[in-house]
Amino acid sequence: MDPQQLANLTPAQQQMLMQRMSTELQQQQVTDTVQQVTERCTQRCAGTSGDRLDKREQGCMSLCMDRYIDTMGEVQKALMARQERG
C-alpha cells in the first residue's frame, strides 16, 4: 500500500490495518521461533537412531525445547522491563 492510499483510509481503517500487520508480524515471529527451536534441538539431540527418535532423543528434544522457550520468555521479560524504564 502506497502512502497516498494509506492517507485515504479513515482512522478506523488505519487502526485495523495496523492491527492486521501486527498480528501477521507476531505470527511470523512465532513461525520463525518454532523453526529455530526445531533446527537447534534436532541438531543437538537427534541423529543416532535413524529416522525416528529413541527415548533418550525424545527426552533431549523435550528438555531442549523447554529450555529454549523458557530462555526466550526471560529475554522477552527483560526487554519489556527495559522498555518500561525508558
Side-chain angles (χ1 to χ4, degrees), residues 31-46 61 64-65 68:
T31 299
D32 292 346
T33 299
V34 169
Q35 183 177 358
Q36 287 175 350
V37 169
T38 301
E39 287 176 9
R40 289 175 191 234
C41 292
T42 299
Q43 288 173 355
R44 181 176 178 186
C45 298
M61 287 289 285
C64 179
M65 290 183 176
Y68 194 89

Side-chain angles (χ1 to χ4, degrees), residues 8-18:
N8 290 333
L9 296 177
T10 67
Q13 290 171 323
Q14 290 177 3
Q15 176 91 15
M16 284 191 342
L17 180 61
M18 294 300 289

Side-chain angles (χ1 to χ4, degrees), residues 8 12 16-17 26 34 39 42 45 55 58 61-62 66-67 72 74-75 78 82 86:
N8 290 333
M16 284 191 342
L17 180 61
Q26 289 173 354
V34 169
E39 287 176 9
T42 299
C45 298
K55 286 211 181 272
Q58 289 175 12
M61 287 289 285
S62 179
D66 288 346
R67 271 184 283 177
M72 292 299 294
E74 291 300 317
V75 168
R82 185 176 287 174

Side-chain angles (χ1 to χ4, degrees), residues 51-62:
D51 63 347
R52 293 188 180 208
L53 298 176
D54 62 24
K55 286 211 181 272
R56 184 193 62 76
E57 291 169 329
Q58 289 175 12
C60 179
M61 287 289 285
S62 179

